Each structure stands twice: as structure tokens, then as C-alpha cells.
Amino acid sequence: MSKTTQNVLSLVTAPLQTWGLIGLILAAGLGWLVSVLLFDHMALLVPLGLSTAAFGIWFLVQAASGRIWALSLMTAFALIVPNISFIERDLSESTNLDAQKGLKLVLWLAMGLVAAARWPHYKHLLGNRLVGAFLLFSLLASLSTLWSPTPAYTAAGGLSLVASLLFCCAIAAELPEELFFKTIAASMILYLALNGVAGLFLPSISWAHSLGDEETARLAGVASHPNVLAKEIASFICLAIPLALVRDKRRLAIGLGLAGFIVIALTGSRTSLIAIVAAFAIPALFQTRHVLGPMVWAGTLLVGTFMVLMATGLVALPANLLASMSRGGDGSEILTMTGRTELWGFVWDKILQAPLLGHGFNTAQTVLSIDWWGQPDAAVGAHNMWLQSLLTLGIVGTIPFTYWHFAIAKQGVNSTRMLSSHIGIYIFFLGLAEVGIAAHPSILTYAAFLAIARDAQAHSPMSIASPSV
């Protein structure tokens, strides 16, 4: 092309570019004017909403394209943002769609899209027995939509499990080892900071009281409940501490561990505190097998002797001992695990109504609330991981679910260099009194998926790095 021709084209295209820019500005202004007429005072939010949507789509494209920084940021977002409770929800309406659930639904859809785009890079991980077992459970959860009394809620829950598991596999396969560690550690530090700031400067909304105990305040932070915050911090501990220790970052590991245990203690969550101690104590004991046997025998002898003495009446517990151990001053809270044993009997009756396939994933509240006679907030779930699984997916769904838990717990005590060692044991003990990961995904679910997927990647022939821990 000659220079003269180029000059002519520039003379023609320059005005077109100018007029195009002017037209774009006029179109944006006209769009805003229309939004003012249609939405009145909400019109100011329209440009912000459009900008946010445009950025979200651009970011999603970057993550789907395999940009490492985008995958890292998306992982941090999933570990932090959905945990922040920004609305008060009536437990009786927990199956209805609200802004909090809408955010999670958008995240799960984004996870699914990224997982679909990155499929060739992590599909080899699905052959791992732990990954495969939970994928089967997730697919059965999705299939239970066919017989669920709340099909939309069940479909969303089942598909969210599949999307979360596959997304975590993609992260485990594609994030370099050092960046994986930095993402987890930075996310934990940021979330600890958020809860610390909330506890110090927003006490009216970040501290809660137990039922019947108005004197003892429990830290809820930015989470929806003190027990939820405890589970979230414990999940971070189970991932970040082993990753830090294997890199010889002991000061960081001690600092994060200490801060995490302090937060869990402030939440007053006895279940999480016991479970997180067991998650690190049991692997430590199995590292020193020569002292494990005598300790087990001594503990068994001590407990057995104490029970015999109690049975014969030679030793009696003080009348106020159990009451002093409960939050509300009622000793029956300890004996019934805060009413859980009564609920479990009721749940078992519901399980027998659909023992093979269950009532459908995430239908616990719908099924239990119909006839439950106790506290309404107790019927949101079975308060036991295996009972929850039996209730919602029956024997068929509970087989891979139970296999997954016993396999990961066994793996944890046999090989302390597995990243899933601590999170597996934590979930096992937590599941005695909570639904654990038998419901819609949370940070506990993401932590478990990331751990087992990272272990699978570390021992895969296609591994991009040395074993994580």
C-alpha cells in the first residue's frame, strides 16, 4: 500500500474513530437516562453493576484461559468471600434464594465454567480413589434431584459439589507449589485480619451469646455463627500449617497456628476445638509408634477403672460438674450433646422412610422440619455427617461417602506427609456432631478437595512439582 493511499485512509478513518467514540459516549448517556426513567433512584447503581459484570466476565475468561494469577485469585476469593455473612437469615427460610446464596451460586457457576475449560489439564486426577469416590457421591447428589421434594435446591447443591471438586482439581494440577502455598497462607492471614477487625471494632455484630447464657460472649466475626467461624479457621489451619512446615517456615506456622487456635477458643466451639486438636495430635502420635501402644493401654485402663468405680457407686460425679461444663448451666446439655441425641433418633426414623436412595441432597431441613417437636433451629440438619448422608442420599450415596472418610482418615495416620492428613481427621471428628461436608460446599469442603487433589497431583506421573507435604 502506497503512502498516498495510507494518508487517504487515515483521513477517512480518523473522523470515523472520533464519531465512534462520541457515539459510544452518547449511547452510554442515553442508556443511563433510560435507567433513570425505569429504575429511579437505583439508576446510580446501574453503571457500577455493568462495570462489575464486565470485569467479572473478563476475569473469568482469564481464569478459564489458565492464567495462573487469575486461578490463584479465584481460589482466594472462594476461600474468603462466601464466608462473610452480610445478611440476617431466618433459619426457617434457609432454602430460599437470597443475596448470600446468590453470591455462592454465581461462584459455583464460575467454578464449573473454569473447570470445564481446564478439563484436559486435570482429568488424570479423577482416577485417584479419593477424588473418584467423592465425584461419585457428588454425581449421586445431582441425580437425587429426580426424587427430591425441593428439586431446584437439590440440583444447585449437587452441581455445586461437582463444580467445586473439579475446580479444586484444576487448581491442584495447575498452580505451582510455591504459589499454591502463598495463596492458602495469604487467604488465611486476610481472613484472620477481617475477623480480628470485626471483633475489635464491630462488637455489636461480631459477638454472639449462646441460648440461655447471656454472660458469655462468643466470637462470630464476619461469619454467620461462632461454630461456623471455628470450622472456617480450622480448615485454614489444616491446610496452611502443614504447607508452611514442609517449607521450613516454622515461625509462620507457629504464628498462624497460634492465631487460629485463639480464634477457635474465642468462638467457644467445643466440637471444632476437640476435632482440630485430634487432627494434629493423632498423626503426631503415629509418628512415634513406640509410645502409642503404652499410651493407648494406659488410657483404656484409666477410663475402664473410672467407669467401674462409677458403676459400683464408689465414685460419683459432683452434682454441679456437668452443669458447669455446659454453656447454659444445664447438665443435660452434656449428656444429650446439646439435644443432638434426641434429634438423631428422630432423624433415624426419617432415614427408615427412604433407606435406599434417601430423600434427596440438601433436603434435610425440609424433611425434618415437618414433624420435629424440638427447637426449630435444630432441624436445619442431622448434626451428624453420616446420618445426614443417609437421610439425603440413603445407603447408595453413603457407601462412597463413608469409603472416602475412612480412606482419608487411614491415609492421615499412615502417612503424615500427605496434605490431607489433618483435614481428613478433623472432618472425621467434626462429623460426629456436625454435618461436615455432607451438605452444600463451604470452605471446609474446598479445603478437603484441595488437599486430596493436591495429594493426587503430587503422586501423579504428570506432577508439576514435588509432593506438597
Side-chain angles (χ1 to χ4, degrees):
M1 182 181 296
S2 66
K3 188 173 182 180
T4 303
T5 305
Q6 291 178 346
N7 291 335
V8 172
L9 287 176
S10 64
L11 289 174
V12 174
T13 57
L16 290 177
Q17 292 174 353
T18 303
W19 283 108
L21 179 60
I22 294 174
L24 182 62
I25 295 174
L26 290 176
L30 180 61
W32 181 79
L33 179 60
V34 171
S35 67
V36 170
L37 297 175
L38 293 178
F39 303 106
D40 195 20
H41 63 282
M42 297 296 292
L44 295 176
L45 298 179
V46 173
L48 177 62
L50 293 175
S51 301
T52 303
F55 174 78
I57 293 173
W58 172 81
F59 180 84
L60 188 60
V61 170
Q62 301 305 307
S65 300
R67 299 288 188 271
I68 297 300
W69 62 267
L71 292 173
S72 175
L73 288 177
M74 191 170 176
T75 303
F77 183 93
L79 292 174
I80 297 174
V81 178
N83 304 328
I84 301 173
S85 178
F86 52 86
I87 63 171
E88 291 187 8
R89 183 189 302 126
D90 186 347
L91 290 175
S92 63
E93 300 178 352
S94 64
T95 58
N96 296 337
L97 183 64
D98 53 32
Q100 192 88 45
K101 284 190 173 64
L103 173 64
K104 294 180 179 180
L105 184 59
V106 170
L107 174 63
W108 295 331
L109 290 173
M111 283 180 165
L113 291 173
V114 172
R118 309 311 300 164
W119 168 262
H121 301 272
Y122 67 83
K123 62 182 180 180
H124 61 281
L125 297 182
L126 302 185
N128 178 269
R129 58 193 180 97
L130 287 177
V131 176
F134 214 97
L135 179 60
L136 177 59
F137 175 82
S138 303
L139 293 174
L140 290 171
S142 301
L143 185 63
S144 69
T145 302
L146 298 176
W147 59 85
S148 168
T150 55
Y153 197 59
T154 296
L159 292 176
S160 68
L161 276 180
V162 176
S164 300
L165 178 59
L166 296 183
F167 173 79
C168 289
C169 286
I171 296 302
E174 297 202 67
L175 280 194
E177 185 177 351
E178 189 63 24
L179 182 58
F180 183 83
F181 161 66
K182 289 181 178 179
T183 301
I184 301 299
S187 299
M188 181 176 181
I189 292 172
L190 179 56
Y191 196 57
L192 284 170
L194 284 174
N195 284 284
V197 170
L200 290 174
F201 299 105
L202 299 171
S204 60
I205 62 175
S206 60
W207 293 86
H209 297 273
S210 299
L211 185 65
D213 183 10
E214 297 298 329
E215 296 182 359
T216 303
R218 303 174 62 197
L219 179 64
V222 297
S224 60
H225 190 275
N227 291 344
V228 174
L229 176 59
K231 287 184 283 188
E232 293 165 354
I233 298 300
S235 302
F236 273 122
I237 290 176
C238 289
L239 281 182
I241 304 307
L243 287 171
L245 288 175
V246 78
R247 285 157 184 78
D248 203 27
K249 299 182 183 295
R250 297 187 179 276
R251 291 184 179 179
L252 178 61
I254 292 173
L256 292 177
L258 182 60
F261 272 90
I262 289 175
V263 171
I264 293 176
L266 291 175
T267 65
S269 176
R270 295 168 297 197
T271 304
S272 276
L273 188 60
I274 293 172
I276 195 64
V277 170
F280 282 84
I282 291 177
L285 286 175
F286 274 83
Q287 282 185 307
T288 54
R289 295 177 183 271
H290 61 283
V291 301
L292 180 61
M295 288 184 65
V296 171
W297 281 109
T300 302
L301 181 62
L302 181 63
V303 173
T305 303
F306 183 73
M307 293 181 66
V308 169
L309 293 176
M310 284 187 61
T312 56
L314 296 177
V315 172
L317 290 176
N320 62 345
L321 178 60
L322 292 179
S324 65
M325 296 170 63
S326 68
R327 295 194 186 102
D330 184 0
S332 64
E333 289 184 13
I334 303 300
L335 296 176
T336 65
M337 295 184 68
T338 321
R340 284 179 172 86
T341 54
E342 297 174 352
L343 176 65
W344 291 342
F346 179 77
V347 170
W348 183 251
D349 292 335
K350 294 294 183 180
I351 291 173
L352 295 179
Q353 294 176 7
L356 192 61
L357 297 176
H359 296 272
F361 187 68
N362 264 0
T363 60
Q365 181 175 353
T366 302
V367 173
L368 297 177
S369 60
I370 298 175
D371 305 316
W372 174 242
W373 63 83
Q375 292 288 340
D377 60 346
V380 296
H383 286 280
N384 179 281
M385 190 162 49
W386 293 278
L387 289 179
Q388 178 89 0
S389 178
L390 284 169
L391 177 68
T392 57
L393 292 180
I395 296 174
V396 173
T398 304
I399 290 175
F401 189 72
T402 303
Y403 169 81
W404 186 91
H405 281 86
F406 278 95
I408 197 173
K410 181 181 178 181
Q411 179 176 279
V413 298
N414 287 339
S415 177
T416 55
R417 286 188 59 82
M418 304 293 284
L419 180 57
S420 57
S421 299
H422 303 292
I423 190 70
I425 297 173
Y426 173 77
I427 292 174
F428 188 88
F429 279 91
L430 182 75
L432 297 175
E434 302 288 348
V435 298
I437 56 177
H440 63 266
S442 62
I443 182 177
L444 181 63
T445 315
Y446 304 144
F449 288 171
L450 286 171
I452 62 171
R454 195 67 181 181
D455 285 340
Q457 175 65 20
H459 293 83
S460 168
M462 301 177 65
S463 176
I464 60 174
S466 58
S468 299
V469 289

